[in-house]
Amino acid sequence: MPRRAFTAPPPVARDTSPFPHRDHLRMPQPGDLIDAADYAFSFRTLEPRPDAPRALLVLLHGVGSDELQLASIGERTPGDVLVALPRGYRSISGGKLGWYRVGLSEDGLQVVEDEAEEARLKLHEFVQQLQSRFDVPPERTVVAGFSQGGMLAASLALTSPETVAAFALLCGQMPPEVEPLHTPRADLAHLRALIVHGRQDDTLPVEQAELSDERLSQLGIRHELRLHRGGHELTGVVENDAVEWLSRVLA
């Protein structure tokens, strides 16, 4: 009698998520756009929204994108985290959405400072509105963003550190326009930060990430610097770095 061929059983799927307590039944997706006078920005949240959020994560897109740009990062967070995706309210360079106007020159970024300040104040108001509405304390609040969104997140954390616990710069830089507004170093001691940058970034050269790393060290802020091959883009590697870091700061 011929021998029956052996067929190996299919491999068992393993949970490789950095969030071991994530609710895998959540299947999150962005909800409808909320455009109400109660909030400083129009925004979406990932649905289903947690009934009693344990933490708040605000994700800020870059110029030329929209509030859905970083949704894939939020989708990989635990189901008890409220993920807010605000939409840039300013039209930049032919209808692109952003937070404030900025140009590039041989001297670096040229920011329209009054617009940047307006955006910072509106973000401060927006975060406090969400914290009040959903009863989430500042010590459980994280802001992160890509490019200009990351710069805006950093400006909020550095000038109003009592509002958040951590911030992340994804292909961004420390915003020089808020340097005079920094709070005393002692008030920044609780903050945690992440810098992720592409070595071949031709929009914001990698030297900007290295300068941001140096400045955060001078301010005494615990942070991590992660550099990768790549340009000014939200790659899978950048997303993975953000998710892994969030798994620790939101734990």
Side-chain angles (χ1 to χ4, degrees):
M1 178 180 295
R3 299 178 62 183
R4 180 175 297 175
F6 173 74
T7 302
V12 177
R14 296 184 179 276
D15 182 3
T16 59
S17 169
F19 294 104
H21 57 289
R22 178 185 175 187
D23 179 1
H24 289 276
L25 299 179
R26 179 184 184 187
M27 298 179 63
Q29 59 183 356
D32 294 335
L33 186 69
I34 299 170
D35 186 8
D38 296 341
Y39 297 101
F41 296 137
S42 298
F43 70 105
R44 301 177 193 267
T45 59
L46 289 187
E47 308 292 347
R49 187 186 298 164
D51 294 330
R54 179 180 57 85
L56 168 65
L57 173 61
V58 178
L59 297 172
L60 302 159
H61 67 82
V63 173
S65 190
D66 61 24
E67 69 276 9
L68 301 179
Q69 183 183 33
L70 302 181
S72 57
I73 292 176
E75 289 167 1
R76 296 167 64 185
T77 60
D80 58 359
V81 174
L82 175 65
V83 179
L85 308 167
R87 174 181 290 185
Y89 63 98
R90 193 174 296 281
S91 179
I92 299 174
S93 301
K96 297 178 181 178
L97 292 177
W99 308 99
Y100 51 88
R101 287 178 295 170
V102 60
L104 292 172
S105 72
E106 294 181 355
D107 298 325
L109 292 177
Q110 302 297 315
V111 172
V112 180
E113 294 189 7
D114 59 337
E115 293 182 0
E117 175 66 0
E118 177 186 79
R120 182 185 71 84
L121 294 174
K122 285 175 74 71
L123 177 59
H124 183 271
E125 181 183 10
F126 178 70
V127 169
Q128 289 190 316
Q129 288 166 340
L130 291 174
Q131 289 170 338
S132 175
R133 167 66 177 79
F134 295 99
D135 194 25
V136 179
E139 58 268 23
R140 303 296 304 165
T141 299
V142 178
V143 290
F146 176 79
S147 192
Q148 189 182 89
M151 296 166 64
L152 183 57
S155 70
L156 173 68
L158 295 173
T159 59
S160 302
E162 73 284 355
T163 309
V164 299
F167 66 96
L169 279 163
L170 310 179
C171 301
Q173 69 173 47
M174 291 279 283
E177 66 274 9
V178 302
E179 191 80 19
L181 304 176
H182 287 182
T183 52
R185 175 174 170 146
D187 294 337
L188 303 173
H190 70 282
L191 290 175
R192 298 171 68 179
L194 172 69
I195 303 169
V196 185
H197 214 93
R199 294 183 183 276
Q200 287 75 42
D201 192 326
D202 57 2
T203 300
L204 293 175
V206 67
E207 288 79 13
Q208 294 297 331
E210 294 167 343
L211 288 172
S212 297
D213 171 51
E214 180 180 344
R215 185 63 182 130
L216 289 179
S217 294
Q218 293 170 350
L219 293 171
I221 295 174
R222 291 175 295 164
H223 68 283
E224 300 172 33
L225 171 66
R226 302 187 185 182
L227 303 178
H228 302 289
R229 286 190 58 82
H232 195 72
E233 54 189 335
L234 188 66
T235 64
V237 173
V238 173
E239 285 195 13
N240 288 341
D241 276 347
V243 170
E244 190 279 327
W245 177 78
L246 287 168
S247 73
R248 289 181 280 118
V249 300
L250 291 174

